[in-house]
Amino acid sequence: MNITIIYFSQTGNTQKVTDVLVEVLLEKGHDVKAIPMKKATSDDIGAADILGIGTPCFSSQVPTPVKEFLKGLPALDSRRAFVFATSGGAPGRVLYDLTCLLKDKGATVIGGFLIRGKLSHPAPCLVGRMPDRPNENDLAEVRRFASALAEHLSNNGAGTVVGSRPDVFMPGFGFYNQVGMMSSDGFLRLVLPKPNERSLKIERTF
């Protein structure tokens, strides 16, 4: 099975999770390719039997560059996909919004997970939370999901990958879910320090 994982990682948390996914899925006999989002091409998307999308969580939602990337994807025509995220705070709607963006392109999302990572939110009062994460326990959770995904694929399973988080498919209704839903990109740009534009730039190649 050809699995392509496309990830966005500014501080290395999501890349670390992606590396473990690749390691386990290769051990299970799959052809796996991990590509930073800014380098992904239409050929990479077209060659994938299974598409994985990984991202950090920004302000309880999907980062703006990831939203723009997914909205610009070609039609996925029932391509199976999974999602994952790293978060140092309240994850809010990040997984559910990834699922919705992929479904809008015709993908079938079969599961997903979330791992804790050191928080690099630009608000000074939040920087540094969850130090030394993802740690070995977190990465063990990644290995468990990767093994469950491999088993699901080898059995050509229908439905959901075992161990997937419920908020992949159903939004929560807590405070931070509402924050993620109401915090527009324009509002966040207004109230938060300006991000590093070079690190956020995604070069569109399709």
Side-chain angles (χ1 to χ4, degrees), residues 40-56:
T41 69
S42 56
D43 288 341
D44 297 321
I45 306 295
D49 299 313
I50 307 294
L51 181 63
I53 301 292
T55 178

Side-chain angles (χ1 to χ4, degrees), residues 4 17-18 21 41 47-48 51 78 80 96 108 110 163-164 181 189:
T4 296
V17 170
T18 300
L21 278 171
T41 69
L51 181 63
S78 299
R80 286 183 290 177
Y96 180 70
T108 300
I110 59 175
S164 293
M181 185 169 61
R189 289 192 189 99

Side-chain angles (χ1 to χ4, degrees), residues 104-172:
D104 285 346
K105 291 295 176 178
T108 300
V109 177
I110 59 175
F113 65 96
L114 182 134
I115 294 297
R116 289 301 188 181
K118 182 178 178 180
L119 189 62
S120 298
H121 193 288
C125 62
L126 297 176
V127 171
R129 289 182 60 191
M130 299 283 175
D132 303 317
R133 307 286 291 271
N135 58 27
E136 283 305 311
N137 290 334
D138 297 316
L139 298 180
E141 291 293 328
V142 180
R143 292 185 179 94
R144 278 192 280 274
F145 180 87
S147 295
L149 174 63
E151 183 174 355
H152 183 90
L153 298 177
S154 66
N155 294 332
N156 201 24
T160 302
V161 176
V162 173
S164 293
R165 284 176 59 108
D167 52 333
V168 170
F169 305 102
M170 181 73 66

Side-chain angles (χ1 to χ4, degrees), residues 3 5 16 27 38 52 101 113 131 133 138 156 158 184 194:
I3 302 173
I5 302 172
K16 186 179 292 187
E27 289 173 355
K38 66 181 179 181
L101 288 161
F113 65 96
R133 307 286 291 271
D138 297 316
N156 201 24
S184 68
K194 188 175 181 180

